[in-house]
Amino acid sequence: MNAFWPVELHEGPVGLRPIRVRDRRTWQEVSARNRHWLRRWEATVPPAQPGNPSSPRPTYRQMVRFLRSEAQAGRMLPFIVTYQGQLVGQLTVGGITWGSMCSANVGYWVDEAVAGRGIIPTAVALAVDHCFRDMGLHRIEICIRPENGPSRRVVEKLGFREEGIRPRYLHIDGGWRDHLVYALTADEVPEGMLRRWRGNRQHLEQ
């Protein structure tokens, strides 16, 4: 069982909560409305190869069951992102590793209709603080396609370090795509990520 799940996190109008089966209709509506906008950045399943047959895309219910199973096993934290109480995106803390590494990676997407309002930087800050302070993880990594300017601005606003490029790292939009690696360790944000983001946001808005 995962002692750190389920959990709900909030900062002003932005929230993170567990993904639920009953979110299906809203999640599918938001996802479909943003399909064109998100297609360039969403991971895809590569074509079947000998010895590696492709599987059909899971249904929403199958996806949620898998995510929640991984959460209960302590390998993942699958969140819905909310803004003013409405579902506007998704954030997943995945690849949680303990032992000598104590690390995880973060992925996210948001409805284009509310992009640019600081929702995802706030959501990432909430998740990072939970991982560092409550879970005791040491390192968080976010991998982003070099062409994805809005997503890169999220991590840059939060002070993640750019560590380099991973060639042909993930299959996205029909091909294997390079990704930039951004990372942060707990000792780099002793004041907490959310507190840092509040200060940075005030500076940016001046």
Side-chain angles (χ1 to χ4, degrees):
M1 298 295 289
N2 185 353
F4 309 105
W5 185 261
V7 64
E8 294 194 16
L9 308 168
H10 300 275
E11 169 70 5
V14 178
L16 292 175
R17 64 162 175 78
I19 191 169
R20 304 178 299 215
V21 171
R22 63 179 178 271
D23 291 320
R24 179 183 62 83
R25 181 175 296 177
T26 305
W27 186 94
Q28 288 178 336
E29 186 275 324
V30 175
S31 180
R33 179 157 40 83
N34 287 273
R35 185 170 293 123
H36 178 73
W37 192 55
L38 297 173
R39 187 177 61 190
R40 293 182 62 200
W41 322 121
E42 286 187 324
T44 48
V45 178
Q49 299 291 332
N52 184 29
S54 62
S55 2
R57 189 178 181 88
T59 66
Y60 175 82
R61 183 180 294 272
Q62 289 170 335
M63 177 189 73
V64 172
R65 285 179 174 172
F66 170 77
L67 292 175
R68 292 176 71 89
S69 173
E70 290 294 288
Q72 291 298 335
R75 293 186 289 263
M76 186 178 288
L77 302 177
F79 290 110
I80 284 296
V81 181
T82 62
Y83 180 65
Q84 297 178 340
Q86 302 300 309
L87 187 158
V88 296
Q90 194 170 343
L91 181 148
T92 302
V93 180
I96 298 173
T97 304
W98 299 99
S100 59
M101 186 171 284
C102 291
S103 73
N105 57 68
V106 172
Y108 48 80
W109 63 265
V110 69
D111 187 343
E112 185 179 15
V114 295
R117 301 186 190 183
I119 296 169
I120 287 298
T122 302
V124 172
L126 285 166
V128 168
D129 279 353
H130 179 61
C131 288
F132 285 164
R133 291 183 171 181
D134 302 328
M135 298 177 66
L137 293 179
H138 169 69
R139 172 184 164 93
I140 298 294
E141 187 174 283
I142 299 179
C143 296
I144 302 169
R145 287 188 63 181
E147 305 89 340
N148 192 344
S151 195
R152 291 177 64 181
R153 284 192 289 275
V154 168
V155 292
E156 289 162 1
K157 288 175 182 178
L158 294 173
F160 276 75
R161 286 178 288 101
E162 182 181 327
E163 292 191 333
I165 197 159
R166 288 184 178 163
R168 298 169 60 80
Y169 178 61
L170 281 177
H171 193 275
I172 293 177
D173 195 23
W176 294 99
R177 310 300 181 182
D178 297 349
H179 279 64
L180 285 169
V181 181
Y182 291 86
L184 196 69
T185 56
D187 52 297
E188 294 177 86
V189 279
E191 76 277 25
M193 177 59 74
L194 191 57
R195 185 174 177 182
R196 173 191 281 187
W197 166 233
R198 288 175 186 147
N200 289 352
R201 190 172 191 180
Q202 288 178 354
H203 176 73
L204 291 169
E205 292 174 349
Q206 288 177 352

